[in-house]
Amino acid sequence: SHMVEEGRWAYQETITDDDVDSEARNAYGWLRAPWNLNPSKHVTRYHKICGVDSAYNNDWPDCENHHYALKSITEYSEYQPYMAYQAHGSVHSLVGGTSGCYQWYDKFKDSVGLEQLNNLLIDKSFSLLRGAWREGLCESPEYCSSDTPEGECKLLCKGCDSETFSKQQLAEYAGQFWLNETDYNDLIKEQMVREV
């Protein structure tokens, strides 16, 4: 379950947000990002990206990162992105990680290839759903009950209800869904977007 079982946060329950219009809750009602469809009522941590140690494991920000930012950067336009990524961003993937990638492996390992799929998922899985939600390409379900199977409570792809994607839809999704980095045919790309 990846629930925290030791230390200060052991068995800590996430609080609920009963305001269905709130953007600070997921479909299960837990105070989480709307794209985070983790059904657990407990604080959870994965420490891996799709079951694999992340390249970020060696990128924990240190005093040197912060010292550089405070002493060497003089322009806010340079300071803000530096602090967001080099001095902070990797903490999210190191502590939180990602899970639930097994369905992607099961469905696409043969058509995409295991090595390529690993590279794509490890590189993008942490930001994939967040980015798609923020760009308005998908939306969270309004509500999922605690007994809704995990695979049935997922983000809803806007435009995925049509039988096939238009070239424009595919191009729009491809940039967010890392598919422009593959050389696979449009049908495989479309299937990948619909699955995610």
Side-chain angles (χ1 to χ4, degrees):
S1 73
H2 299 280
M3 171 178 54
V4 177
E5 297 177 351
E6 296 177 6
R8 178 180 183 170
W9 304 108
Y11 307 102
Q12 177 68 43
E13 291 188 11
T14 306
I15 60 176
T16 60
D17 185 342
D18 295 327
D19 178 5
V20 294
D21 295 323
S22 172
E23 290 190 0
R25 67 182 288 282
N26 72 8
Y28 293 100
W30 302 118
L31 190 61
R32 289 192 170 111
W35 58 84
N36 180 345
L37 296 174
N38 178 353
S40 175
K41 69 178 181 178
H42 292 98
V43 172
T44 55
R45 295 294 178 252
Y46 293 93
H47 303 293
K48 292 186 179 222
I49 304 291
C50 291
V52 177
D53 285 330
S54 167
Y56 296 117
N57 283 359
N58 297 322
D59 290 341
W60 191 267
D62 57 21
C63 292
E64 189 176 316
N65 294 116
H66 295 274
H67 184 268
Y68 171 79
L70 295 172
K71 297 292 184 177
S72 301
I73 299 175
T74 59
E75 299 293 324
Y76 183 74
S77 61
E78 186 182 341
Y79 175 82
Q80 195 281 330
Y82 180 87
M83 290 303 291
Y85 296 102
Q86 282 83 0
H88 167 80
S90 62
V91 171
H92 292 280
S93 61
L94 287 166
V95 174
T98 58
S99 72
C101 306
Y102 58 88
Q103 72 270 16
W104 299 341
Y105 283 108
D106 292 346
K107 189 154 189 162
F108 298 110
K109 67 182 176 195
D110 294 331
S111 59
V112 174
L114 193 54
E115 185 177 345
Q116 178 73 358
L117 191 58
N118 266 336
N119 292 338
L120 292 170
L121 290 176
I122 291 166
D123 185 44
K124 300 288 186 172
S125 69
F126 191 79
S127 60
L128 178 67
L129 299 179
R130 177 192 69 204
W133 186 87
R134 285 181 176 172
E135 293 293 322
L137 299 175
C138 60
E139 57 190 19
S140 300
E142 203 169 295
Y143 174 78
C144 294
S145 66
S146 60
D147 62 348
T148 302
E150 188 178 345
E152 290 181 24
C153 185
K154 61 183 188 175
L155 294 181
L156 308 169
C157 162
K158 292 182 179 177
C160 286
D161 52 355
S162 63
E163 197 165 311
T164 59
F165 276 9
S166 68
K167 290 282 186 191
Q168 180 182 348
Q169 280 177 298
L170 194 56
E172 190 175 313
Y173 279 93
Q176 190 61 48
F177 282 79
W178 38 255
L179 298 173
N180 55 343
E181 297 174 17
T182 69
D183 58 358
Y184 300 101
N185 68 45
D186 287 351
L187 180 59
I188 291 174
K189 292 178 182 181
E190 181 180 326
Q191 288 172 344
M192 292 176 85
V193 169
R194 289 178 190 272
E195 183 63 29
V196 171

